[in-house]
Amino acid sequence: MVYAATALPFTIYLLSGYFVTLPHDYEEAAYIDGAGFFTTMIKIIFPMAKPSIITVILFNFLSFW
């Protein structure tokens, strides 16, 4: 619990900064095509954010180790 509490601010800061840089056009195109919120997140946004998610996982793993 302590490790998660200490890593959470860094994780939120890094991921929110990366999600802001992603273009909103892909999200809007998915909504026009009929995708819902969760489908858009899983099939469009998360694959585009994979580099930042992997970076957060690596940083957290190294800090916990």
Side-chain angles (χ1 to χ4, degrees), residues 15-43:
L15 287 178
S16 65
Y18 190 80
F19 279 127
V20 168
T21 63
L22 292 177
H24 295 283
D25 297 336
Y26 294 111
E27 188 177 352
E28 291 173 1
Y31 288 141
I32 290 173
D33 288 340
F37 175 75
F38 291 109
T39 305
T40 303
M41 290 299 287
I42 291 171
K43 292 189 177 182

Side-chain angles (χ1 to χ4, degrees), residues 2-4 8-9 15 17 19 21 24 26 28-29 38-39 44 46 50-53 60 63 65:
V2 174
Y3 288 135
L8 196 61
L15 287 178
F19 279 127
T21 63
H24 295 283
Y26 294 111
E28 291 173 1
F38 291 109
T39 305
I44 307 291
F46 286 155
K50 201 177 288 186
S52 101
I53 294 170
N60 286 334
S63 69
W65 189 27

